Amino acid sequence: MSLERKLRRTNAKKKKKDAEKALGKKAALFGLLPNKCLTCEAPFDKMNREQVMSWNVVVRQEEEKVHLYCPECWSKAQQIIKDFKERLQNKKEE
Ligand SMILES: [Zn+2]
């Protein structure tokens, strides 16, 4: 086997391994999916399509953590962020 061919083979192998690794990481994160809302502890059923579509998942890749929020808490959080931003804005304008 020529050196070039050998190198190419090694590269292909590495690529496959990287892809497998990425997939494994995603699967691992999915496995980390909590079964309740982080804020109000409402139960979450990952087999429930409606819940899967409406609940909000926040992935913190660097911490390898997955935070889950029910639609109610999510909209409350959005409101708080909005209020906070508006308050900041008002402060600047004063
Ligand atoms: Zn909640």
Side-chain angles (χ1 to χ4, degrees), residues 2-89:
S2 76
L3 186 64
E4 202 192 328
R5 261 186 77 185
K6 212 174 180 178
L7 278 175
R8 215 179 294 156
R9 264 185 72 133
T10 317
N11 256 340
K13 235 187 207 168
K14 191 173 178 292
K15 239 181 209 163
K16 203 177 159 219
K17 240 187 185 162
D18 282 351
E20 273 168 11
K21 226 193 224 166
L23 201 71
K25 203 161 189 187
K26 228 177 212 175
L29 281 173
F30 195 77
L32 288 174
L33 202 61
N35 55 11
K36 59 183 194 238
C37 169
L38 183 74
T39 311
C40 73
E41 302 197 333
F44 175 72
D45 177 7
K46 51 184 122 178
M47 295 307 178
N48 185 324
R49 226 184 116 82
E50 208 175 293
Q51 285 198 341
V52 171
M53 299 302 283
S54 59
W55 285 46
N56 289 277
V57 179
V58 179
V59 178
R60 303 213 178 265
Q61 214 128 29
E62 61 274 21
E63 296 169 47
E64 297 201 344
K65 268 188 187 153
V66 180
H67 292 167
L68 189 66
Y69 300 92
C70 72
E72 221 172 287
C73 292
W74 184 258
S75 67
K76 263 186 221 162
Q78 296 301 305
Q79 192 59 46
I80 290 169
I81 292 168
K82 201 171 151 240
D83 284 352
F84 185 70
K85 274 189 184 158
E86 276 171 9
R87 226 168 284 167
L88 272 182
Q89 199 74 31

